[in-house]
């Protein structure tokens, strides 16, 4: 409860500069899920890591145990343009940091193929995992098509950290991808997986 005119109890000890102050519950929970998956993969995970020059701030920074590799993980819930997200990716690349954007929305964002990114689905039941349901695919040679591949977020994070996945551009003739959603076959366009 909040006293009239007073701060909420959870805000009392929080400094004005606290990044969590302006963050939604969903954004914070996704960051915690990513940090947990990073730690399960045997890497260190630190929240809200800024660049030395202030040019970026990673939601979650994964660091290998020997300190030789880093990868930023961004929970991207708010709208952002393709140009803006590409510029953010470039800032990480200039410092030799790989990055992956993670979006928990019901619909794929327009930028999902512009940068290394996936869409995730939150669990419906308590013991179910978060699942990557868009942005991860495999090429099926028999049918000559890319196919969506769903995997638990924890497994996807481990694969990405260990560089067992690559971001791949898709040739124009293979950009249409089909998926059954709510019993109906839908067509999507993917320029990159």
């Amino acid at each position: 409860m909040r006293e009239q005119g007073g701060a909420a109890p959870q805000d009392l000890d929080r400094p004005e500069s606290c990044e969590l102050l302006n963050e939604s519950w969903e954004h914070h929970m996704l960051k915690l899920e990513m940090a947990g998956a990073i730690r399960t993969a045997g890497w260190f995970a630190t929240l809200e890591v800024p660049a030395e020059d202030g040019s970026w701030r990673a939601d979650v920074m994964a660091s290998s145990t020997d300190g030789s590799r880093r990868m930023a993980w961004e929970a991207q819930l708010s709208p952002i343009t393709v140009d803006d997200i590409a510029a953010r990716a470039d800032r990480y690349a200039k410092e030799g940091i790989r990055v992956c954007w993670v979006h928990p929305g019901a619909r794929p964002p327009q930028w999902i193929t512009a940068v290394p990114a996936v869409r995730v689905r939150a669990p419906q039941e308590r013991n179910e995992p978060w699942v990557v349901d868009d942005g991860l695919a495999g090429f099926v040679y028999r049918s000559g098509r890319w196919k969506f591949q769903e995997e638990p977020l924890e497994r996807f994070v481990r694969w990405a950290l260990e560089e067992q996945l690559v971001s791949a551009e898709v040739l124009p003739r293979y950009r249409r991808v089909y998926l059954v959603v709510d019993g109906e076959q839908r067509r999507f366009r993917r320029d990159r997986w």
Side-chain angles (χ1 to χ4, degrees):
M1 282 185 108
R2 183 186 299 232
E3 289 182 35
Q4 197 167 17
Q10 67 269 22
D11 294 339
L12 293 177
D13 295 325
R14 188 179 290 171
E16 292 285 326
S17 63
C18 180
E19 292 298 321
L20 300 178
L21 190 61
N22 298 317
E23 175 173 286
S24 71
W25 178 85
E26 186 178 27
H27 187 259
H28 185 67
M29 293 308 297
L30 180 53
K31 288 185 347 183
L32 291 177
E33 285 296 323
M34 291 188 300
I38 291 163
R39 290 177 181 130
T40 298
W43 286 49
F44 296 112
T46 309
L47 278 73
E48 298 299 329
V49 175
E52 286 183 26
D53 65 0
S55 64
W56 52 260
R57 176 181 294 274
D59 282 336
V60 184
M61 181 63 74
S63 302
S64 61
T65 55
D66 65 1
S68 66
R69 296 179 289 162
R70 294 191 302 167
M71 183 171 181
W73 293 84
E74 295 287 349
Q76 189 65 43
L77 283 72
S78 58
I80 188 170
T81 67
V82 172
D83 289 341
D84 287 344
I85 204 165
R88 288 178 64 191
D90 288 344
R91 287 193 292 269
Y92 282 118
K94 285 178 183 171
E95 293 199 33
I97 299 170
R98 292 180 298 129
V99 63
C100 182
W101 272 268
V102 181
H103 177 71
R107 294 177 178 256
Q110 68 180 37
W111 46 262
I112 196 161
T113 63
V115 294
V118 294
R119 187 181 66 188
V120 293
R121 183 176 65 238
Q124 298 298 312
E125 300 293 326
R126 183 177 203 119
N127 294 325
E128 292 179 351
W130 284 68
V131 173
V132 171
D133 67 0
D134 194 346
L136 180 63
F139 192 80
V140 181
Y141 290 97
R142 281 178 280 151
S143 62
R145 291 187 176 174
W146 287 92
K147 180 181 177 192
F148 284 96
Q149 184 174 335
E150 288 191 3
E151 292 291 340
L153 177 62
E154 194 172 278
R155 183 176 300 147
F156 171 80
V157 167
R158 181 172 30 90
W159 288 347
L161 291 172
E162 297 302 329
E163 300 181 50
Q164 295 175 327
L165 299 172
V166 294
S167 181
E169 261 188 75
V170 178
L171 296 173
R173 67 187 284 190
Y174 299 111
R175 290 185 178 157
R176 282 181 301 207
V177 185
Y178 299 90
L179 180 66
V180 176
V181 178
D182 298 328
E184 179 182 319
Q185 185 171 6
R186 294 192 185 165
R187 182 177 67 175
F188 296 87
R189 177 187 164 97
R190 293 293 178 263
D191 298 331
R192 172 178 302 277
W193 291 103

